[in-house]
């Protein structure tokens, strides 16, 4: 796989601009993913749509994509992992974190994106967001503990009745 300068925003943009301008095609799924990120930072929606799954292109809202690209303050891209997606592969997966701010909130969008080479050209096919595990803040309640609602009853006699009845 070619060396993609993920850690340097200006170098990443310089690396990806030839793809966005149509001067050359990404050789790997990771290059296409990086070019799509840079296209978002530049609000180059035509490139984003041109590299989207041809079978689902009509499902993408151009205006909403453009609005989001322009309103976000892009902060960086981190490559987590790749599977396949090399110069000789047909399919690939790229896991990454795209960081941006919107409406005063920092966002770390963690995603596993799938790519496919169709007629010699890489396309974004689909993605699944990687969600951080939810951790319980307090101790686990047992059926004989006081109910969390404050009723004074045991959990099993209050809000625990539905779960107990289901067993």
């Amino acid at each position: 796989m070619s060396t993609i300068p993920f850690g340097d925003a200006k170098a990443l943009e310089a690396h990806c601009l030839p793809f966005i301008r149509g001067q050359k095609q990404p050789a790997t799924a990771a290059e296409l993913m990086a070019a799509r990120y840079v296209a978002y930072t530049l609000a180059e929606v035509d490139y984003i749509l041109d590299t989207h799954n041809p079978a689902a292109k009509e499902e993408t809202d151009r205006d909403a994509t453009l609005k989001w690209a322009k309103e976000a303050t892009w902060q960086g891209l981190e490559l987590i992992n790749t599977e396949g997606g090399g110069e000789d592969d047909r399919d690939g997966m790229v896991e990454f974190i795209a960081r941006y701010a919107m409406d005063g909130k920092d966002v770390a969008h963690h995603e596993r994106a799938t790519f496919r080479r169709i007629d010699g050209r890489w396309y974004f096919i689909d993605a699944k967001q990687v969600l951080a595990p939810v951790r319980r803040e307090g101790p686990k309640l047992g059926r004989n503990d006081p109910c969390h609602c404050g009723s004074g009853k045991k959990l099993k006699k209050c809000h625990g009745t539905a779960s107990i009845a289901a067993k």
Side-chain angles (χ1 to χ4, degrees):
M1 183 171 1
S2 65
T3 304
I4 304 169
F6 286 100
D8 181 343
K10 288 188 187 291
L12 181 62
E13 183 175 312
H15 180 85
C16 294
L17 279 176
F19 305 136
I20 295 168
R21 292 179 178 154
Q23 297 165 339
K24 66 181 195 174
Q25 292 294 320
T28 66
E31 280 188 333
L32 176 58
M33 188 275 311
R36 286 174 56 88
Y37 170 82
V38 171
Y40 277 106
T41 70
L42 301 172
E44 292 285 347
V45 176
D46 290 337
Y47 183 77
I48 295 164
L49 296 176
D50 287 345
T51 57
H52 195 78
N53 181 356
K57 203 176 278 192
E58 294 78 32
E59 298 171 15
T60 305
D61 184 337
R62 185 184 199 291
D63 293 336
T65 302
L66 180 61
K67 183 177 188 287
W68 181 63
K70 285 184 173 183
E71 290 179 2
T73 302
W74 299 94
Q75 300 170 332
L77 178 65
E78 178 184 352
L79 178 68
I80 304 297
N81 187 30
T82 62
E83 294 172 10
E87 294 184 25
D88 298 324
D89 293 323
R90 179 179 174 260
D91 296 299
M93 182 284 303
V94 179
E95 182 178 349
F96 65 93
I97 300 174
R99 299 183 194 285
Y100 63 94
M102 183 169 274
D103 299 327
K105 295 179 184 173
D106 288 335
V107 178
H109 180 79
H110 189 171
E111 183 174 289
R112 288 177 58 93
T114 55
F115 296 85
R116 179 163 295 135
R117 189 189 307 267
I118 302 169
D119 296 329
R121 184 175 172 200
W122 283 106
Y123 289 91
F124 165 81
I125 299 300
D126 197 7
K128 292 188 179 172
Q129 192 169 356
V130 178
L131 301 175
V134 177
R135 294 183 181 252
R136 181 181 295 116
E137 294 295 321
K140 183 176 179 180
L141 294 177
R143 54 186 258 127
N144 288 318
D145 289 327
C147 188
H148 56 80
C149 74
S151 68
K153 296 180 182 179
K154 291 182 179 182
L155 179 64
K156 68 182 177 184
K157 296 286 187 180
C158 192
H159 281 92
T161 57
S163 61
I164 292 170
K167 290 182 180 180

